[in-house]
Amino acid sequence: MLYDCSQLAERERGIAAAIEAVGRGDLVVLPTDTVYGIGADAFKSWSVTALNNAKGSSAPVPVLVGSRHTLDGLVFGLPQAARDLVDAFWPGALTIVVEHAPSLQWDLGGGDGTVAVRMPLHPIALEVLRETGPMAVSSANKQGQPAAETAGEARDQLGYAVSVYLEGGPCPEPVASTIISVTNSEHRVLRAGAIPIEKLREVVPSLIGLD
């Protein structure tokens, strides 16, 4: 089911349907400030598996959160540099890779004890996330295909694998998030993206680039 979130009543119904779908383990597509994402409950391993099956991918799935405070409950320890970056760029197009708390009962497809986390700057995504809690979210496209910039484009690729599509209009800046690893004393850019490294170095001058 696709909901046009430009219509207030349909937006309310769509967000409620998405929250309910995530709760029962189904997949949803929602807009973010980068590209559209396909999401699942991060703590339901079968849902994360279904997400990767829908995409045709086996890659570890990043996590989106609806609040900065949620991050503290997910990580083993957060270096000061990571806190500074979060304060400066969240919500926004910055993904940080951190060591997750060993007690977390989840399987996101990676076995190295780390997780990639982001808080998106999009009202629809945040409204859903604040009710569902952390969601495993990847770009809403088949592996090797262009990232979806509308829910309609995502539906063309993912079809009935997804229960709820939230249409929030075209992505304003369809550029992937910048990814930074902050898992040890060395802080490194893993993927260039929407936030330039020059901006990041204003906060963490020692940040290592891709070159």
Side-chain angles (χ1 to χ4, degrees):
M1 182 73 177
L2 188 147
Y3 295 87
D4 179 3
C5 294
S6 67
Q7 308 295 321
L8 181 58
E10 195 162 341
R11 171 186 167 131
E12 291 176 353
R13 288 196 300 271
I15 287 175
I19 293 166
E20 182 180 338
V22 172
R24 64 175 180 262
D26 288 356
L27 304 180
V28 302
V29 160
L30 69 168
T32 78
D33 48 338
T34 55
V35 295
Y36 274 69
I38 176 174
D41 186 330
F43 296 100
K44 292 182 171 66
S45 59
W46 70 90
S47 298
V48 178
T49 298
L51 187 158
N52 271 333
N53 288 343
K55 283 179 62 76
S57 169
S58 58
V61 185
V63 168
L64 294 188
V65 296
S67 163
R68 290 183 182 89
H69 302 296
T70 304
L71 181 63
D72 290 323
L74 301 180
V75 299
F76 178 70
L78 201 60
Q80 187 59 48
R83 292 192 182 278
D84 293 342
L85 289 165
V86 164
D87 287 344
F89 297 105
W90 276 20
L94 177 67
T95 298
I96 59 171
V97 178
V98 294
E99 293 182 47
H100 67 71
S103 59
L104 290 180
Q105 299 299 308
W106 62 11
D107 181 3
L108 300 169
D112 63 352
T114 66
V115 61
V117 188
R118 185 167 86 87
M119 180 182 176
L121 181 58
H122 196 288
I124 294 173
L126 291 174
E127 194 167 341
V128 173
L129 288 161
R130 284 167 183 158
E131 293 298 324
T132 63
M135 286 178 61
V137 180
S138 185
S139 58
N141 58 283
K142 289 284 191 181
Q143 185 74 13
Q145 297 299 312
E149 297 181 27
T150 67
E153 289 181 8
R155 185 173 59 176
D156 289 343
Q157 294 191 46
L158 300 169
Y160 291 109
V162 173
S163 293
V164 174
Y165 291 87
L166 299 180
E167 180 62 80
C171 297
E173 295 183 25
V175 180
S177 65
T178 303
I179 302 179
I180 295 178
S181 173
V182 290
T183 56
N184 51 42
S185 58
E186 186 178 87
H187 311 305
R188 180 181 296 273
V189 176
L190 302 181
R191 182 180 74 188
I195 301 176
I197 189 170
E198 293 77 18
K199 288 286 187 185
L200 298 168
R201 280 182 173 150
E202 290 176 6
V203 178
V204 180
S206 61
L207 189 65
I208 300 170
L210 292 169
D211 47 22

